[in-house]
Structure formats: structure tokens, C-alpha cells
Amino acid sequence: MDERRELIEAIIKKYALCPYPAPKVTRRGKPRTTVDLSGISSVDVRMRDEFYMSCALELAKAAADRGEVPVGAVMVMGERILAADFNGRETEKNALYHAELAVIGKSCEALGGWRLPGCELYVTLEPCTMCAGGIVSARVPRVIWGAADKKAGAMGSVLDVNELPLNHRCAVAQGVLAEKCEALLSEFFEKKRT
């Protein structure tokens, strides 16, 4: 097992037991499945979102330690983390190795299909257009992001894919642990400039 995978698995293990209630997965007609938060208090939803965003932040820190832009992502289905990863464009020499796309790919493998019904994607930085396209294609029902990307964000900052006439729209929670996510990015780019 390589070092990257061992590190990711160690981080996932720390967050395996979420102390907050999981949303219900409800059917809206085949194959549409959504994440139903109606039975959970808004405080518990916020605490749950912060719990999983903390996991994504640990992954983002691991990316920064490797010279990657510090972005981490976690895909959750109910009470289970399906996949987690961090940016790898520099180390993998691959323009497509964004944390979100890596996690979507691993989640598709875990579920055995290209749709990700009932899943929630936690990511420390607002997804770009490429990643937002992947999210729409995989039919991810809910996306939770931390820091806004004012140059390339495609879920509210520069553009919003949910406003386009596409075949899927996802629920979006933005700004979860935004200060911590922004601070990590700022610190990384400050070090790069010096």
C-alpha cells in the first residue's frame, strides 16, 4: 500500500464514527435519490457538516505538505465515508487530479455505478467548472464546500451550475468552516510567494 493511500485511510479512520444523525436517503423516482435532512435539527446538520469538513481539512493539510494546493474532499453516504482524497495535480502530473474528481471516481467504484445517489460531497474549496461538471454527471445530491473560489468557483462565486438548464441540480451548503479553509489556502500561497 502506498504512502498516500495509508495516510488517507488513517484520516478516514479518525472520522469513521460521526456523532451526529445521518440524513435519510429518499427516492424521488428511479434512479433519482436525494438526501433528506428534514428529520435532523439545523444544529445537528451544521455540526455534522463541520465534522466531515474537518476531515476534508486534514486531507487538505496533507496536500499542502506535499506541495499541492490544499484542497481535500470526502464523499459520505449516510453514516459511511465512501472515499476521501486530496489534490494531486503536481505529484501525479495530471491536470484532472482534483480532490473532488478523485473522490467521485473512488465512490463510483465503491458503489459499482456512475450515479452517486444519497451521497454528500464535502470539499474545502468551492468546486471549479470541471469538478462541478463531474458532480452533475455523477448526480451527487448534496455538495458542502468551505472557501469560496472567486476566480474559478462554479457553485455560486463565478458561476452557478445550478442556474444552468442541466439535467441535475444539487443542494449546496457553502461556507462551512470557511475561515479555516481560507486560512489554509492563504498560508499555502503566502509560502509559495516567499
Side-chain angles (χ1 to χ4, degrees):
M1 188 181 299
D2 67 348
E3 178 208 350
R4 182 187 189 100
R5 193 175 325 152
E6 285 176 4
L7 175 63
I8 291 168
E9 286 183 8
I11 292 170
I12 289 173
K13 198 176 213 180
K14 287 171 56 178
Y15 291 89
L17 296 172
C18 180
Y20 306 102
K24 291 180 203 159
V25 175
T26 59
R27 286 247 181 244
R28 290 188 328 196
K30 202 173 180 181
R32 294 184 185 267
T33 306
T34 189
V35 174
D36 180 6
L37 299 168
S38 64
I40 305 173
S41 75
S42 60
V43 171
D44 281 341
V45 170
R46 182 178 50 81
M47 298 302 288
R48 183 174 187 278
D49 287 351
E50 289 178 359
F51 178 82
Y52 287 117
M53 188 62 74
S54 295
C55 180
L57 268 165
E58 279 199 49
L59 292 157
K61 288 173 187 169
D65 292 344
R66 285 156 181 74
E68 297 284 353
V69 174
V71 179
V74 179
M75 187 73 75
V76 177
M77 183 178 203
E79 298 173 343
R80 178 176 151 219
I81 294 176
L82 286 179
D85 211 332
F86 51 86
N87 272 2
R89 289 192 310 178
E90 301 299 328
T91 53
E92 300 297 322
K93 310 286 188 245
N94 184 339
L96 303 178
Y97 210 112
H98 286 206
E100 302 96 305
L101 293 183
V103 166
I104 288 170
K106 290 176 181 180
S107 298
C108 289
E109 284 179 31
L111 294 179
W114 60 270
R115 290 183 185 95
L116 298 175
C119 291
E120 298 169 285
L121 175 63
Y122 292 83
V123 60
T124 57
L125 180 65
E126 178 184 1
C128 68
T129 53
M130 176 176 70
C131 294
I135 289 164
V136 169
S137 293
R139 310 296 197 270
V140 177
R142 184 169 184 253
V143 177
I144 304 90
W145 55 262
D149 186 343
K150 294 180 173 111
K151 293 183 178 180
M155 292 200 148
S157 291
V158 176
L159 66 98
D160 189 346
V161 294
N162 279 331
E163 292 179 359
L164 300 174
L166 302 173
N167 60 348
H168 176 74
R169 286 180 179 76
C170 57
V172 176
Q174 59 190 33
V176 175
L177 297 182
E179 297 81 19
K180 290 181 180 181
C181 296
E182 290 164 3
L184 184 59
L185 286 159
S186 295
E187 181 183 320
F188 175 80
F189 287 114
E190 192 66 36
K191 284 181 183 174
K192 283 283 220 194
R193 285 190 280 273
T194 58

